[in-house]
Amino acid sequence: MAGSPARVGVLALQGDVREHVRVLSGLGADPVLVRRPEELAAVSGLVLPGGESSVIDKLSRSFGMREPIRQAIADGMPMYGTCAGLILLADRIENPIAGQLSFGGLDVTVRRNAFGSQADSFETALAVVGFDEPAHATFIRAPLVVQVGDRAQPLAELPDGGVVAVRQGVLLGTAFHPEVAGDIRFHRLFLDTVQEQRR
């Protein structure tokens, strides 16, 4: 029902799952952990968390989640990917490990670990399309969108022009971690999309 809290999933195979659950709960949603196809079928949207994109890819296949997620994307389920989640949503991965796949759907090319190692993590303020105030962005072994296709829209860029947030219809991706920085606006945008789809 459109008036009830949005029941949204957080893919809970690996990565910063709890942080997303906390933010979604704080925004009044009903977040659930998703590890199985039947759990995916019971939610109206899905967050793909940060972590190790290659590990999440492998585990998604082990848990029988790869094709159901790809089908959900094709069916128009709203999804939000942060960091590794952005890589998993990308149609194309630059420098993947051998055999690494993405779920795809987002018309972008993403470079893994584009800023170096964990020691090269950084924080910065970003102007974001549609936001009144800059977002505080935390980059941890972050990817970078190196090519944006015709179907996707850049939402935020670094000062050097590197794209770090994109949207394509009901799909949203950020190279950084709003769930860590405490900026709830990306999750709110995701939930607004979920509610719009439920109407």
Side-chain angles (χ1 to χ4, degrees):
M1 294 174 58
S4 59
R7 187 173 177 82
V8 293
V10 179
L11 186 64
L13 300 177
Q14 191 260 348
D16 59 343
V17 174
R18 286 180 299 177
E19 290 83 352
H20 285 286
V21 169
R22 185 182 65 243
V23 175
L24 292 166
S25 295
L27 288 170
D30 177 19
V32 297
L33 305 185
V34 170
R35 297 186 184 90
R36 303 287 181 187
E38 58 270 26
E39 294 164 343
L40 178 65
V43 298
S44 300
L46 183 68
V47 171
L48 306 176
E52 296 284 347
S53 61
S54 57
V55 173
I56 297 173
D57 166 43
K58 288 179 182 175
L59 289 174
S60 74
R61 287 183 257 177
S62 298
F63 280 73
M65 289 296 293
R66 174 174 165 74
E67 289 309 318
I69 289 175
R70 286 173 55 81
Q71 187 60 53
I73 292 170
D75 291 343
M77 177 183 283
M79 296 201 187
Y80 175 29
T82 62
C83 196
L86 168 63
I87 297 171
L88 289 160
L89 280 179
D91 279 345
R92 299 166 295 277
I93 305 173
E94 192 175 284
N95 71 334
I97 69 164
Q100 181 175 357
L101 299 173
S102 69
F103 302 130
L106 200 52
D107 185 13
V108 297
T109 303
V110 171
R111 180 183 302 151
R112 294 172 60 246
N113 300 334
F115 302 96
S117 70
Q118 189 100 6
D120 299 307
S121 300
F122 63 99
E123 299 179 63
T124 190
L126 289 174
V128 179
V129 174
F131 289 6
D132 291 336
E133 300 290 334
H136 184 82
T138 302
F139 292 80
I140 304 169
R141 292 184 60 206
L144 177 70
V145 179
V146 295
Q147 189 262 338
V148 180
D150 293 339
R151 292 176 293 144
Q153 173 197 8
L155 293 184
E157 299 176 356
L158 294 169
D160 66 2
V163 175
V164 289
V166 292
R167 185 177 191 182
Q168 180 182 315
V170 298
L171 303 179
L172 176 67
T174 57
F176 48 92
H177 295 267
E179 75 281 5
V180 171
D183 192 323
I184 62 173
R185 289 173 291 178
F186 286 95
H187 291 78
R188 183 181 291 145
L189 181 61
F190 165 67
L191 290 175
D192 287 347
T193 303
V194 171
Q195 293 289 16
E196 189 66 32
Q197 289 294 99
R198 298 169 78 207
R199 292 193 180 111

